[in-house]
């Protein structure tokens, strides 16, 4: 479960081997009047972002994905830039990835 005060939303994935990886994330915004910004990070660099806000205090989703060339030791994780993620035992927010092919 994600807590609204966290800035790193996920443990850091440490790339075990050089290759091309795919990462996908889907976040459910907490029903508050604050927009949600989530960044997919590589080491300390923002690679892609997702945004959710319609100006109303409703649940909304923010999603994105990336196909990345990574090297052994690179770190990938999600960073909460602004807003809050809805957390519950239903697991509405997900972050996954896989090795497409090894170099």
């Amino acid at each position: 479960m994600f807590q609204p005060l966290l800035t790193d939303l996920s443990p850091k994935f440490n790339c075990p081997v050089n290759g091309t990886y795919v990462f996908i994330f889907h976040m459910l915004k907490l029903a508050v009047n604050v927009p949600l910004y989530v960044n997919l990070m590589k080491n300390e660099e923002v690679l892609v972002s997702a945004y959710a806000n319609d100006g109303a205090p409703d649940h909304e989703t923010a999603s994105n994905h990336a196909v990345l060339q990574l090297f052994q030791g690179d770190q990938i994780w999600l960073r909460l830039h602004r807003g809050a993620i809805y957390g519950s035992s239903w697991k509405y927010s997900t972050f996954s990835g896989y090795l497409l092919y090894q170099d």
Side-chain angles (χ1 to χ4, degrees):
M1 240 186 301
F2 299 124
Q3 300 299 319
L5 299 177
L6 292 178
T7 55
D8 290 350
L9 292 178
S10 63
K12 292 182 180 177
F13 168 76
N14 291 300
C15 180
V17 296
N18 297 349
T20 300
Y21 291 78
V22 177
F23 292 93
I24 304 133
F25 62 96
H26 305 280
M27 301 291 134
L28 183 64
K29 180 177 94 61
L30 188 65
V32 294
N33 234 354
V34 176
L36 173 68
Y37 296 89
V38 177
N39 300 322
L40 178 68
M41 306 292 294
K42 174 185 169 190
N43 301 321
E44 295 300 322
E45 174 187 3
V46 175
L47 297 178
V48 298
S49 299
Y51 171 81
N53 187 42
D54 69 356
D58 295 325
H59 291 298
E60 296 178 26
T61 58
S63 301
N64 213 332
H65 71 279
V67 178
L68 306 173
Q69 178 69 38
L70 298 180
F71 297 99
Q72 185 176 12
D74 281 340
Q75 293 185 322
I76 303 294
W77 77 98
L78 294 177
R79 181 181 73 180
L80 179 62
H81 181 75
R82 184 174 181 207
I85 305 289
Y86 179 76
S88 79
S89 61
W90 289 94
K91 312 291 189 264
Y92 291 111
S93 298
T94 61
F95 175 47
S96 59
Y98 58 91
L99 175 64
L100 190 60
Y101 60 85
Q102 187 174 346
D103 289 342

